[in-house]
Amino acid sequence: MFERLSESALSLFQKTSFSEVPETTEEFFRLLERALEMAPGFVVSVPSFVFVFQAAIAALDVNHFHAQMAVLHAWTQVLGPTRRHVRMLLDRQPRAASAPPSPRRATHAHDTYPVEQIVELCAAHGFELVAKLVQGLLRTFDRESVAEAADVFASLVAVAADGPNVVGGRFDAPPLLTACEWVQPVLAQIPEASWAGADKQAFLATLSDHIQARQWPKVKALASDAAAVFWRRNSAQS
């Protein structure tokens, strides 16, 4: 049923913006959230899932609060469990005392969660997702959506940082862009009058520190705090 409904929804979303059909947008992404919670392996194996993933990125532009929250909750269900499974798989990897962890594929034949597929989608579309999240946090998301959006951002950063260490294939070469390298060009598009260059550099440096330390709660707090400061400063200027 999910495959049939997703194909129907994707056909509609190709012709109509998400903001024009907020009820349909909300219903579809609530369905996606529930389907991922109940049967993630099946959902991700559906041939159209890559297009659902791309649609979920585009849907972050929706300007209706309940639809916006439905999209963010769907992202939470995509990335939150992936982040946890990546951590568990890393913990299972053997670690030699004098060598760093091997990037070879982890042994998870009995783990039905589709870690590899989601990590690869994040690698392929991470920049677009980061751009939507940062723009939303700073400009378009409802203030009540910020905590959820910041959590999605932190999960994406975690998956981007550690995911390649638990899957094989094309992650061996060339090196993937880091989350900081995704964020940097997005911040560069923000006018200096809205966010000073020195403050952007400080944000990136702190983000890099948190990534190196694997402090994902601090990444979430950093994103949330930056959004609050940005809104406060620019509201005062307008």
Side-chain angles (χ1 to χ4, degrees):
M1 184 178 75
F2 173 79
E3 185 172 5
R4 185 173 67 254
L5 289 174
S6 65
E7 289 174 355
S8 177
L10 289 171
S11 178
L12 172 64
F13 295 146
Q14 286 177 342
K15 305 169 189 173
T16 311
S17 76
F18 296 98
S19 294
E20 290 178 308
V21 286
E23 293 84 4
T24 303
T25 300
E26 180 181 358
E27 289 172 4
F28 175 71
F29 286 101
R30 295 289 183 203
L31 171 66
L32 175 60
E33 178 191 5
R34 291 193 296 273
L36 283 165
E37 183 177 10
M38 296 178 64
F42 168 75
V43 172
V44 175
S45 71
V46 169
S48 61
F49 184 74
V50 63
F51 302 110
V52 171
F53 192 95
Q54 292 169 327
I57 295 174
L60 289 167
D61 282 339
V62 68
N63 61 12
H64 184 280
F65 172 70
H66 294 292
Q68 187 180 97
M69 287 300 295
V71 177
L72 287 168
H73 284 151
W75 275 116
T76 297
Q77 195 58 48
V78 171
L79 296 174
T82 302
R83 170 178 157 185
R84 292 192 293 273
H85 278 76
V86 164
R87 183 69 260 165
M88 287 189 294
L89 291 170
L90 281 175
D91 289 343
R92 291 180 198 171
Q93 288 183 338
R95 295 172 182 266
S98 60
S102 169
R104 70 181 182 275
R105 188 186 306 274
T107 303
H108 55 282
H110 301 294
D111 191 339
T112 58
Y113 192 83
V115 174
E116 179 175 341
Q117 295 94 321
I118 295 177
V119 169
E120 290 186 354
L121 285 168
C122 289
H125 304 286
F127 173 74
E128 292 87 350
L129 180 51
V130 159
K132 292 288 186 183
L133 288 169
V134 171
Q135 284 291 87
L137 282 163
L138 299 182
R139 298 189 184 279
T140 61
F141 290 159
D142 189 280
R143 290 298 84 196
E144 293 184 26
S145 304
V146 166
E148 192 79 23
D151 190 56
V152 172
F153 177 81
S155 291
L156 175 61
V157 170
V159 170
D162 287 335
N165 293 319
V166 297
V167 300
R170 63 188 182 82
F171 293 109
D172 293 335
L176 287 173
L177 291 176
T178 67
C180 283
E181 289 171 308
W182 286 338
V183 173
Q184 188 171 17
V186 178
L187 297 188
Q189 297 175 9
I190 300 172
E192 290 281 313
S194 299
W195 194 349
D199 293 336
K200 294 177 191 176
Q201 290 303 314
F203 176 89
L204 288 168
T206 304
L207 176 61
S208 179
D209 289 344
H210 292 338
I211 292 173
Q212 293 298 319
R214 299 311 193 250
Q215 292 289 334
W216 311 127
K218 290 185 178 180
V219 171
K220 176 181 177 180
L222 177 68
S224 181
D225 291 348
V229 171
F230 184 90
W231 274 64
R232 187 162 57 247
R233 287 180 178 173
N234 288 281
S235 295
Q237 292 174 4
S238 59

